[in-house]
């Protein structure tokens, strides 16, 4: 009986510690990519604006495997405001070191990348209350190729994250 109680206590404490370690996250959601990320496939994320008086950091999160064969990644990220305003950016992220080793965290062939979208230079504030939508699409091309990469291999999950900025 004492052994069962100790095991249950350890599980409860572990759950509390793991859920409290990420208290800065206001929104954190992923969508899975079935096999390959098609160039016309757009991942969308809807969330309600958090406190409009505080500063936030916005991130694109990606999980990729060794099947990702590029050293960089181009994304088209669109932020739709509640009032209809749309801000669309083409962004480039470094995905591999010069020696070809994939960047990101993780011990196996699955790497997780937390890529800045907003808040890295200037504080980002949600000035409007209401629903925001973010659309993420890849814009990869092979060198010298006019047409984009039809099916991007190696990306397994696409995510979007909003964190309260540190003071």
């Amino acid at each position: 009986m004492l052994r069962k109680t100790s095991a249950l206590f350890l599980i409860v404490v572990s759950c509390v510690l793991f859920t409290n370690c990420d208290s800065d996250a206001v929104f954190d959601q992923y969508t899975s990519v079935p096999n390959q990320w098609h160039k016309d496939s757009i991942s969308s994320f809807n969330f309600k604006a958090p406190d409009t008086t505080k500063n936030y950091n916005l991130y694109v999160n990606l999980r990729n495997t060794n099947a990702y064969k590029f050293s960089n990644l181009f994304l088209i990220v669109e932020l739709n405001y509640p009032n209809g305003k749309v801000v669309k950016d083409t962004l480039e992220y470094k995905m591999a070191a010069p020696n070809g080793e994939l960047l990101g965290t993780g011990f196996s062939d699955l790497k997780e990348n937390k890529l800045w979208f907003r808040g890295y230079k200037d504080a980002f504030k949600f000035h409007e209350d209401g629903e925001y939508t973010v659309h993420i699409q890849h814009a990869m091309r092979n060198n010298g190729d006019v047409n984009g990469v039809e099916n991007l291999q190696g990306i397994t999950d696409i995510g979007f994250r909003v964190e309260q900025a540190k003071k």
Side-chain angles (χ1 to χ4, degrees), residues 75-144:
L75 297 176
I76 298 170
V77 181
E78 181 180 291
L79 177 61
N80 295 283
Y81 288 72
N83 71 356
K85 175 182 169 182
V86 176
V87 176
K88 194 174 204 176
D89 292 306
T90 302
L91 307 167
E92 180 183 13
Y93 297 102
K94 186 176 178 182
M95 298 294 287
N99 67 359
E101 182 181 349
L102 290 173
L103 302 176
T105 59
F107 295 107
S108 65
D109 71 332
L110 184 67
K111 299 293 183 188
E112 184 150 358
N113 291 276
K114 187 175 176 181
L115 310 170
W116 280 101
F117 175 54
R118 291 276 188 272
Y120 58 95
K121 286 185 181 177
D122 299 317
F124 182 83
K125 220 171 246 186
F126 291 96
H127 293 288
E128 301 170 29
D129 197 27
E131 286 285 320
Y132 285 75
T133 303
V134 173
H135 301 293
I136 303 171
Q137 180 178 20
H138 86 77
M140 292 300 293
R141 296 172 190 248
N142 287 310
N143 285 339

